[in-house]
């Protein structure tokens, strides 16, 4: 009887947390109680960068993480982290469920990890406290908080705005006082962080649709019998649809709440100039023929 | 069993006088080895625990404090405060509390407040005949005020840990009355202690003298205005404000007062390095210790225990307070907020407690935990600034703990203290 | 002999303290520059934050190591008040051994962490992830050295410094 310890930075009840818990129930059922999962949510075991290392050491067995922290470790994870690489969430699902997704999952095995499945991280868009942003010109000179990641910093610069990395916890008061003009995130985070209270303009430009990933420690995976390994892989795949459903519900709830608060949502924007501005970013990050091939494959996916 | 190893090793090392940071580190190391896990995790937690940008306010405020003390800013400020309330019994104790109200509205970090106000006040209080433990204790406990008055990054951590359903603006506003209540009760406690100990008073120096003192202290007062104004108007973030304090203190002492010699500067830098290193090493090792507590499910078992005891809201709130105080005695604040909020908040709301109200209870409660041994970052900062052993401080800290506990009880059982002010803004 | 060694370790501690002090000043300059760039030049610096965090690691671990030699770490001396002097010395040595052991761990496992992350690139700084763990290894080396020195001093009848007590150790 083995309890797999799984880490998540999101709180109890968050779609990713619930999905992994559901996966645990499936495992328990399918292995007659030999395997189950306990989710350590709310970053109890550390932030993503740390828990990734802990998973590599085999201290924790499973981990639900964003692709961002992997960007500097596994080159292939940079591709789905590229701005405007996916046309829509559906497009992202098709790609990640297909051969490109499998290619990326396989890349984890060189780093003491087993890639199990991709989850949704929603689509990220800009919000700010100053004015409705309808075109790329409106972004000029504005200061946006981004995550500490080279790609995101370069993306914001390429759009003509100022990227200001800062800790998540300082964003609210920094927008309120005008240290920065805004930030960028998905519906649930825009809602849960309370940033909509101080940044009342949300432009749905969807620059990033970055999937998240469920990985397992190679050490823990290798301890399982081949049958149990298959059961784990299958249960992880089965948890994806649970996750996607929960995610959509969550997005809807957040969107309703934010709209009810009177935030101005800007939907009528032409994405083309934004996408064209990304050419230098792609040139900088998509360097090897392998990555170029991946980008082409993604763009060719209908 | 692993908990016996963890707490056993910790207690043994603590008793034989091992530095607290190493008690935490070595006991975590021993427990990891006992569990058969790779010990590398302990050192990863240690490294990540100190690699946090928000912690940077601690070295900066400690540094600014050292510069202000060596560069004559502190003496002038205290002289001014003495002019105002020095004729009251235990005047400098009152000034200490009021300074925490001012700094607290700027930093939001109890450890930073203790280092800034403590670095300023404790040497002066010692010089004027106050006992070191009294000076340290009032500094330590009054810095909890910093956690309650906005901006408080801990409130933001709480809001995020609660799944973000709670308005940060409401939380900020909710802390204001409890913060001033705590300040008031601490001033009463400081006065009572001062009467008992017969601390010095000085004759009132007259209004004209006050004017002179004011002009002489003005550059130091402007510092508070710069930090306040800077954060409120958005020139810099709360953590950057600590940096501005250092830069400003350097400018004033080098160019305005011309009171800081090159060797003063070097000594202030070394002093700040020493204090900071010891405080942050404890925080880093506590990160390893806290990881083991989470890994071995200590918080979860505590809740299970709690839920089996009673269904009376008053009893549950009392128990929640007790458990939080106990956890806060061993662990540091932000990891505890993150770990306990998702578990305790549903319990509290199930018994009809408003989430904003619970946030204030939680922050105040864990803030008291920062001032209690064996693991109390703020207590350590205070002791480091006063250069006295932790034991000497906690022997006489009880009246101040008392004031904090009375505040905690009032805040717990009178929801309006937290909820009335936010309701005005809705 | 012990005196000569103490002289050398004293110099080493001084150097470590200087490096840490320069680190603190450098960190002050970097964050001040960050504010200046954003406000006066209206351009955000993205590397100052991770660079300052790394510098902070250096002065924490170097400063912590010097603290072992100078005895300024916080401790809790309840039991030590009531035991006889001879036992007190044994307990001090036991305590120094625990510290030295932890220092060995900092070197050994810090090195492992550095090796594992050597291939990663740190965001915004563009240098190897191994640099994150250099301070912990360097601090570990000094902690082992200084706590061993304390044990040796005690054996040789020389004074060692403790928190809250004054002692001449140079
Ligand atoms: Na204070
Ligand atoms: Na405590």
């Amino acid at each position: 009887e083995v309890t797999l310890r799984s880490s998540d930075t999101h709180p109890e009840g968050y779609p990713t947390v619930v999905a992994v818990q559901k996966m645990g129930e499936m495992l328990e059922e399918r292995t007659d109680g030999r395997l189950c999962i306990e989710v350590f949510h709310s970053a109890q075991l550390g932030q993503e960068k740390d828990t990734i290392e802990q998973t590599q050491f085999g201290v924790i067995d499973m981990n639900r993480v964003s692709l961002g922290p992997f960007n500097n470790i596994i080159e292939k994870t940079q591709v789905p982290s590229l701005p405007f690489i996916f046309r829509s969430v559906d497009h992202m699902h098709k790609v990640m469920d297909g051969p490109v997704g499998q290619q990326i999952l396989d890349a984890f095995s060189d780093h003491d990890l087993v890639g199990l499945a991709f989850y949704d991280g929603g689509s990220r868009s800009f919000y700010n406290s100053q004015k409705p942003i309808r075109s790329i010109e409106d972004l000029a000179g504005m200061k946006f908080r981004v995550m500490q990641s080279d790609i995101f910093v370069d993306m914001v610069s390429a759009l003509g705005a100022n990227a200001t990395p800062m800790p998540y916890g300082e964003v609210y008061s920094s927008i309120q006082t005008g240290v920065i003009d805004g930030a960028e995130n998905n519906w649930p985070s825009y809602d849960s962080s309370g940033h909509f209270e101080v940044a009342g303009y949300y432009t749905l430009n969807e620059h990033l649709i970055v999937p998240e990933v469920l990985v397992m420690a190679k050490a823990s995976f290798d301890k399982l019998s081949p049958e149990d390994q298959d059961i784990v892989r299958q249960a992880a795949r089965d948890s994806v649809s649970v996750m996607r459903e929960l995610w959509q519900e969550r997005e809807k709830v957040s969107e309703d709440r934010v709209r009810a608060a009177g935030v101005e949502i800007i939907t009528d924007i032409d994405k083309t100039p934004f996408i064209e501005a990304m050419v230098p970013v792609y040139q900088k990050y998509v360097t090897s023929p392998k990555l170029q091939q991946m980008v082409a494959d993604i763009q060719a996916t209908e | 069993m692993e908990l016996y190893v963890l707490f056993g090793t910790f207690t043994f090392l603590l008793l034989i006088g091992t530095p607290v940071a190493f008690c935490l580190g070595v006991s975590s190391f021993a427990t990891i080895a006992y569990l058969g896990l790779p010990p590398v995790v302990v050192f990863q937690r240690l490294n990540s625990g100190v690699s946090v940008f928000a912690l940077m306010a601690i070295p900066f405020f400690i540094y600014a404090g050292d510069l202000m003390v060596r560069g004559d800013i502190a003496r002038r400020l205290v002289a001014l405060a003495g002019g105002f309330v020095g004729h009251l019994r235990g005047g400098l104790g009152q000034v200490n509390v009021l300074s925490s109200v001012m700094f607290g509205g700027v930093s939001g970090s109890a450890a930073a407040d203790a280092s800034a106000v403590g670095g300023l006040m404790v040497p002066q209080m010692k010089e004027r005949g106050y006992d070191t433990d009294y000076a340290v204790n009032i500094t330590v406990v009054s810095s909890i005020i910093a956690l309650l008055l906005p901006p408080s990054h801990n409130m933001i951590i709480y809001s995020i840990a609660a799944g973000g359903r709670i308005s940060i603006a409401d939380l900020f506003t909710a802390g204001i009355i409890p913060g001033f209540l705590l300040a008031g009760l601490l001033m009463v406690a400081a006065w009572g202690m001062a009467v008992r100990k017969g601390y010095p008073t000085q004759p009132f120096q007259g209004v004209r003298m006050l004017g002179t003192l004011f002009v002489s202290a003005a550059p130091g007062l402007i510092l508070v205005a710069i930090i306040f104004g800077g954060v409120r108007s958005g020139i810099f973030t709360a953590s950057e404000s600590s940096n501005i304090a250092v830069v400003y203190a350097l400018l004033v002492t080098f160019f305005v007062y011309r009171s800081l010699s090159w060797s003063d500067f070097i000594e202030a830098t070394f002093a700040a390095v020493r204090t900071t290193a010891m405080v942050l090493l404890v925080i880093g090792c506590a990160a390893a210790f806290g990881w083991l507590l989470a890994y071995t499910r200590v918080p979860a078992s505590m809740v299970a225990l709690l839920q089996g005891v009673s269904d009376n809201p008053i009893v549950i709130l009392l128990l929640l307070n007790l458990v939080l105080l106990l956890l806060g005695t061993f662990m540091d604040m932000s990891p505890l907020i993150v770990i306990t909020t998702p578990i305790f908040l549903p319990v509290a709301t199930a018994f009809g407690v408003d989430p904003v109200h619970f946030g204030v209870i939680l922050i105040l409660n864990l803030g008291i935990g920062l001032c209690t041994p064996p693991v109390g970052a703020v207590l350590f900062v205070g002791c480091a600034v006063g250069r006295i052993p932790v034991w000497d401080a906690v022997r006489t800290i009880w009246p101040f703990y008392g004031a904090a506990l009375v505040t905690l009880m009032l805040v717990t059982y009178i929801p309006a203290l937290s909820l009335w002010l936010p309701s005005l803004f809705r | 002999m012990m005196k000569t060694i103490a002289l050398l370790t004293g110099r080493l501690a001084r150097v470590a303290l200087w490096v840490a002090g320069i680190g603190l000043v450098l960190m002050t300059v970097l964050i001040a520059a960050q504010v200046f760039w954003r406000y006066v030049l209206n351009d955000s610096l993205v590397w100052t934050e991770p660079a300052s965090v790394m510098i902070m690691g250096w002065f924490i671990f170097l400063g912590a190591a010097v603290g072992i030699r100078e005895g300024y770490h916080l401790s809790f001396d309840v039991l030590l008040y009531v035991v006889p002097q001879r036992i007190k010395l044994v307990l001090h040595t036991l305590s120094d051994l625990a510290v030295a052991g932890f220092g060995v761990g900092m070197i050994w496992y810090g090195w492992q962490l550095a090796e594992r992350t050597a291939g990663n690139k740190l965001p915004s700084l563009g240098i190897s992830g191994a640099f994150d763990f250099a301070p912990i290894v360097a601090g570990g080396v000094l902690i082992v050295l200084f706590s061993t020195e304390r044990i040796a001093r005690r054996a040789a009848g020389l004074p060692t410094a403790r928190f809250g007590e004054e002692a001449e150790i140079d």
Side-chain angles (χ1 to χ4, degrees), chain C residues 122-136:
Chain C
L122 291 176
S124 300
L125 295 176
I127 55 175
S128 161
F131 282 95
D132 259 348
F133 299 100
I136 203 170

Side-chain angles (χ1 to χ4, degrees), chain B residues 76-137:
Chain B
R76 291 167 198 245
L77 277 175
V78 173
L80 174 65
F84 277 112
V85 286
H87 57 286
L88 299 177
R89 186 67 75 177
L92 287 188
Q94 318 292 346
V95 175
N96 190 316
V97 177
L98 282 181
S99 324
S100 281
V101 173
M102 291 197 300
F103 273 93
V106 170
S107 75
S109 154
D113 176 78
S115 54
V117 178
L120 223 87
M121 294 293 305
V122 172
Q124 300 292 323
M125 289 177 77
K126 274 162 118 172
E127 197 176 289
R128 304 280 174 100
Y130 289 76
D131 293 312
T132 311
D133 52 344
Y134 176 86
V136 166
N137 290 336

Side-chain angles (χ1 to χ4, degrees), chain B residues 49 55 58 111 154 279 282-284 286-287 289-290 293 327-339 366 369-370 375-378:
Chain B
L55 287 178
I58 296 176
N154 288 296
V279 171
V282 174
I283 291 177
F289 196 84
L293 287 185
L327 286 173
T329 303
F330 291 101
M331 281 171 73
D332 212 358
M333 187 153 185
S334 44
L336 265 180
I337 295 176
V338 172
I339 294 167
L366 297 180
L370 289 176
V375 182
V378 173

Side-chain angles (χ1 to χ4, degrees), chain B residues 98-373:
Chain B
L98 282 181
S99 324
S100 281
V101 173
M102 291 197 300
F103 273 93
V106 170
S107 75
S109 154
D113 176 78
S115 54
V117 178
L120 223 87
M121 294 293 305
V122 172
Q124 300 292 323
M125 289 177 77
K126 274 162 118 172
E127 197 176 289
R128 304 280 174 100
Y130 289 76
D131 293 312
T132 311
D133 52 344
Y134 176 86
V136 166
N137 290 336
I138 187 75
T139 301
V140 166
V141 181
S142 68
S143 56
I144 305 174
I145 298 167
L147 301 169
L148 294 169
L149 295 181
S152 166
H153 64 262
N154 288 296
M155 298 266 191
I156 299 171
I157 296 176
Y158 167 70
S159 166
I160 292 169
R165 303 289 169 91
I166 307 163
S167 153
I168 292 167
D170 281 356
L171 279 171
F172 276 6
T173 329
I176 293 177
I177 292 179
F180 279 102
L181 179 65
L182 177 59
L185 287 176
L186 282 173
M187 288 178 81
V188 172
W191 177 81
M193 288 281 281
V195 169
R196 241 191 57 204
K197 296 218 171 186
Y199 282 143
T201 53
Q202 55 201 48
F204 186 61
Q205 294 154 294
V207 179
R208 179 184 296 251
M209 187 61 196
L210 267 185
T212 317
L213 288 172
F214 186 83
V215 171
S216 143
L221 291 173
I222 291 171
L223 175 61
V224 178
I226 288 180
I227 294 177
F228 253 128
V231 174
R232 297 260 178 258
S233 64
I235 296 173
F236 31 79
T237 67
S239 8
E240 285 167 352
S241 73
S242 60
N243 175 271
I244 302 304
V246 175
V247 173
Y248 182 83
L250 275 173
L251 291 178
V252 168
T253 50
F254 262 126
F255 299 111
V256 181
Y257 290 158
R258 297 166 189 272
S259 52
L260 194 74
S261 69
W262 182 244
S263 70
D264 284 337
F265 169 69
I266 290 172
E267 278 314 309
T269 308
F270 286 164
V273 164
R274 289 185 172 103
T275 313
T276 307
M278 95 173 83
V279 171
L280 291 183
L281 190 72
V282 174
I283 291 177
C285 288
F289 196 84
W291 187 90
L292 271 156
L293 287 185
Y295 192 84
T296 50
R297 306 179 181 89
V298 170
S301 348
M302 279 195 152
V303 173
L305 204 70
L306 194 75
Q307 281 167 328
V309 174
S310 170
D311 53 4
N312 180 330
I314 295 181
V315 177
I316 287 293
L317 274 176
L318 189 68
L319 283 175
L320 277 182
N321 270 322
L322 281 175
V323 173
L324 285 169
L325 276 175
L326 198 67
L327 286 173
T329 303
F330 291 101
M331 281 171 73
D332 212 358
M333 187 153 185
S334 44
L336 265 180
I337 295 176
V338 172
I339 294 167
T340 57
T341 300
I343 315 170
F344 283 9
L345 181 60
V347 179
T349 44
F351 286 96
V353 179
D354 187 283
V356 171
H357 180 204
F358 183 71
V360 178
I361 297 176
L362 182 77
I363 302 281
L364 176 53
N365 199 315
L366 297 180
I368 296 173
L370 289 176
C371 305
T372 51

